[in-house]
Amino acid sequence: MTRLFNDPAAFADEALEGFAAAHRRWVRPVTGGVVRAGGTPEGQVAVVVGGGSGHYPAFSGLVGRGLAHGAAVGNVFASPSAAQIRSVARAAHGGAGVLLMYGNYAGDVLHFGQAAERLTADGVETLTYAVTDDVASARPEEADKRRGTAGDLPVFKAAAAAAERGLPLQEVRNVAAHAGARTRSFGIAFSGCTLPGADHPLFTVPASRMAVGLGIHGEPGIGEAELPTADEAAELLVATLLKELPEDVATPAGQRAAVILNGLGSVKYEELFVVYRKVAALLEEAGVETVDPEVGELVTSFDMAGVSLTLTWLDDILEDLWRAPTDTPAYRKGALGEPEASAAPAAPAADTEDAAIPAASDASRQAAGTVLAALEAVAATVDTHVDELGRIDAVAGDGDHGIGMRRGSTAAREAARAARDLGAGAATVLAHAGDAWADKAGGTSGALWGTVLRAVGTALGDQEAPTAARVAEGVAEASAAVQRLGGAEVGDKTMVDVLVPFATALTEAVAAGDGLTAAWDRAATAAAGAAAATADLLPRKGRARPHAEKSLGTPDAGAHSLALITRAVHGVLLDHH
């Protein structure tokens, strides 16, 4: 378990601060992450990678010449927010555009996609690429649904080496896609990981057993097997990856491969070497030439006891890029000489855009008080149920839903209070709260809750007194926006299964003449029923999808938390009626 921390909520920020202080030769801190200390050479595409904390040396440890130009770093096992990614990308931009790269997780896809849209609007040409290397997370015919694990490294490196050689943005992105199509990973674990401040791991493995086909966020494996010997583990890893070759590779014989045997957190290097001796022998028997193999911790999962094997099937282009020199805090290859001298480290500069408080009417400022009370109730409700939400999420997911919701709701409450104290109206209070929720929670729920609060705020405005019709309009727009952004539909076992019936019931009750408090009561009752009904669904989205059968009989954590929140807000409306 993680023993050395202060406030668990501050762990990721403090870890990044310490990392930057220890590696000033390579990086400098900016809001949301780090960039190269010497900057991006003018006219070179900037490759900006990112994801949640808890995976070091991914992602911050891979920033330096020959690899990433910047890394956006989110909270523990949560994607960085769009604002954080945008901040890092703007700091890394060298004038030739930005390629955003990340693992294929719903939260990362949402936040990096939003960041790309904002950067494009800023005039920064931006493309994205999601790594999909984990063969356990989806069938070959659904490879686009696979998650990104230790295959991040060879794919990031190929794109970054292409950028170093001056290729334009689209060609750098094409190289990333080529490397991604030829990269496969598979992992096993012997124990789960424990997040800072938690008193139990996200999942457990029975004695003398191992989890097979797990992710890097504390997700349980897709199955279990007897605890293997080192040679048996190597045989499972190699056999699994040799079963699925790239489309243009008919047989492994005669092929070249970049090989990564990755430790997930607490497997010692000597153990990895014992396993790798057999991996190397098995690949040689299959006729595979290993090229610059890597054995060590490259993409971790806190203190998880486990290993993964990654193969990137090389052609002449990819082999050249894989062998290219690299100089970063955590990954070095070849010789690049001394890095550019850097100035004294700059303190991270906050993005002050949208910081001004627009003028608001007295009626809207009064409504802002009710909004703040509602957000205080939301944060209190989440705090009360945080363990329950984590337990529900751990059945088929990674168990961090409660933690993420607490981070987000707490940040939203504090941002709302600060905005209200500065005289903001209802819309501005909700906008600040939504941005804070997205920034601090990260992940899918952070992006979606940020969208919900902003949509409701837009409908309320800062000038008019809120009416039941305006609130219902805002909730309906929030429902539509969440579906557009996340791509989920009713029946996918997500928060959409509650948000849609809640919005529908609220709209219908207001149209029938109910006041806001009575209409919200009816809608909250519908939300509770819809949340309970998700227990009968199989997930078709998110991290729970690979473990769909395990979740049958358990409600969706996001749906359940939304239902709890709608009822808590009803209590505030009763008090402020």
Side-chain angles (χ1 to χ4, degrees):
M1 61 184 297
T2 307
R3 297 174 178 85
L4 295 174
F5 55 88
N6 297 307
D7 177 359
F11 182 87
D13 290 341
E14 293 181 347
L16 185 63
E17 181 183 351
F19 164 79
H23 295 101
R24 292 173 180 171
R25 178 173 179 262
W26 291 274
V27 303
R28 67 179 178 89
V30 296
T31 300
V34 294
V35 296
R36 291 188 190 180
T40 298
E42 185 177 354
Q44 187 175 111
V45 170
V47 174
V48 174
V49 304
S53 298
H55 304 303
Y56 191 84
F59 298 89
S60 54
L62 304 180
V63 174
R65 291 178 301 158
L67 235 162
H69 299 77
V73 183
N75 221 312
V76 179
F77 290 178
S79 65
S81 70
Q84 291 170 319
I85 298 162
R86 176 176 174 237
S87 169
V88 173
R90 290 170 67 176
H93 186 221
V98 174
L99 177 62
L100 302 177
M101 301 187 69
Y102 47 92
N104 188 38
Y105 297 88
D108 292 290
V109 172
L110 291 177
H111 286 288
F112 278 91
Q114 288 180 325
E117 292 175 357
R118 296 179 190 179
L119 288 163
T120 299
D122 293 339
V124 177
E125 186 180 5
T126 306
L127 296 177
T128 66
Y129 184 76
V131 180
T132 56
D133 60 299
D134 178 34
V135 301
S137 52
R139 298 185 299 273
E141 59 270 24
E142 295 182 309
D144 62 316
K145 296 181 180 179
R146 287 177 169 173
R147 56 199 173 194
T149 55
D152 284 353
L153 175 61
V155 181
F156 291 173
K157 188 177 188 304
E164 291 277 358
R165 296 178 183 186
L167 270 64
L169 178 59
Q170 184 60 60
E171 291 186 31
V172 173
R173 204 266 182 197
N174 291 345
V175 167
H178 181 49
R182 284 176 159 255
T183 299
R184 307 284 189 277
S185 298
F186 183 71
I188 58 177
F190 319 111
S191 71
C193 55
T194 305
L195 302 187
D199 57 7
H200 58 275
L202 293 178
F203 73 91
T204 57
V205 181
S208 301
R209 303 282 290 176
M210 70 172 173
V212 177
L214 69 159
I216 58 170
H217 293 95
E219 307 99 322
I222 59 173
E224 285 184 6
E226 291 293 326
L227 187 68
T229 63
D231 284 359
E232 289 169 343
E235 289 165 357
L236 173 62
L237 294 169
V238 172
T240 300
L241 294 187
L242 292 186
K243 287 178 183 176
E244 186 187 322
L245 302 174
E247 291 182 359
D248 56 348
V249 175
T251 173
Q255 299 296 323
R256 294 162 288 168
V259 182
I260 298 173
L261 184 65
N262 177 58
L264 284 164
S266 62
V267 174
K268 304 304 294 182
Y269 271 67
E270 287 87 348
E271 295 175 273
L272 293 173
F273 290 137
V274 172
V275 175
Y276 185 73
R277 55 174 275 286
K278 185 64 173 179
V279 167
L282 291 169
L283 290 174
E284 184 177 3
E285 289 175 14
V288 178
E289 177 188 351
T290 59
V291 178
D292 283 1
E294 298 286 350
V295 179
E297 294 184 346
L298 284 311
V299 180
T300 61
S301 183
F302 262 112
D303 60 337
M304 184 186 292
V307 299
S308 65
L309 180 66
T310 297
L311 299 180
T312 297
W313 298 93
L314 303 174
D315 54 18
D316 291 343
I317 294 173
L318 291 179
E319 180 173 351
D320 188 37
L321 298 172
W322 175 242
R323 290 185 181 274
T326 301
D327 183 26
T328 77
Y331 186 78
R332 299 166 203 169
K333 179 180 289 189
L336 280 169
E338 287 298 310
E340 304 91 335
S342 61
D351 192 338
T352 58
E353 187 171 312
D354 299 329
I357 301 295
S361 68
D362 290 341
S364 187
R365 286 198 296 269
Q366 183 177 351
T370 303
V371 168
L372 174 58
L375 289 169
E376 289 172 338
V378 168
T381 296
V382 169
D383 195 57
T384 298
H385 295 276
V386 63
D387 291 336
E388 175 194 5
L389 296 175
R391 178 188 59 77
I392 293 172
D393 189 39
V395 171
D398 54 15
D400 69 347
H401 181 70
I403 295 172
M405 289 290 289
R406 180 159 61 184
R407 290 186 198 122
S409 60
T410 300
R413 178 192 64 202
E414 297 308 311
R417 180 179 294 134
R420 192 281 311 269
D421 290 347
L422 291 172
T428 299
V429 166
L430 281 164
H432 282 231
D435 289 347
W437 194 313
D439 281 349
K440 292 300 182 183
T444 307
S445 68
L448 298 182
W449 272 100
T451 297
V452 166
L453 297 183
R454 271 193 167 270
V456 175
T458 298
L460 297 185
D462 280 331
Q463 299 303 319
E464 304 294 331
T467 64
R470 281 183 179 272
V471 172
E473 176 188 336
V475 172
E477 176 50 36
S479 176
V482 164
Q483 291 175 81
R484 287 194 303 269
L485 182 62
E489 301 175 352
V490 172
D492 285 345
K493 196 164 187 172
T494 70
M495 69 181 291
V496 167
D497 289 294
V498 169
L499 186 54
V500 168
F502 174 75
T504 300
L506 183 64
T507 299
E508 291 176 349
V510 170
D514 285 356
L516 178 59
T517 303
W520 195 282
D521 182 25
R522 288 173 55 179
T525 300
T534 62
D536 298 326
L537 300 175
L538 291 175
R540 298 197 293 251
K541 293 280 185 180
R543 293 180 190 169
R545 182 186 53 77
H547 313 284
E549 291 76 13
K550 291 184 178 180
S551 77
L552 196 61
T554 302
D556 176 70
H560 183 57
S561 61
L562 175 55
L564 291 172
I565 285 170
T566 62
R567 182 50 65 189
V569 172
H570 175 250
V572 173
L573 295 176
L574 282 172
D575 292 340
H576 287 72
H577 183 65

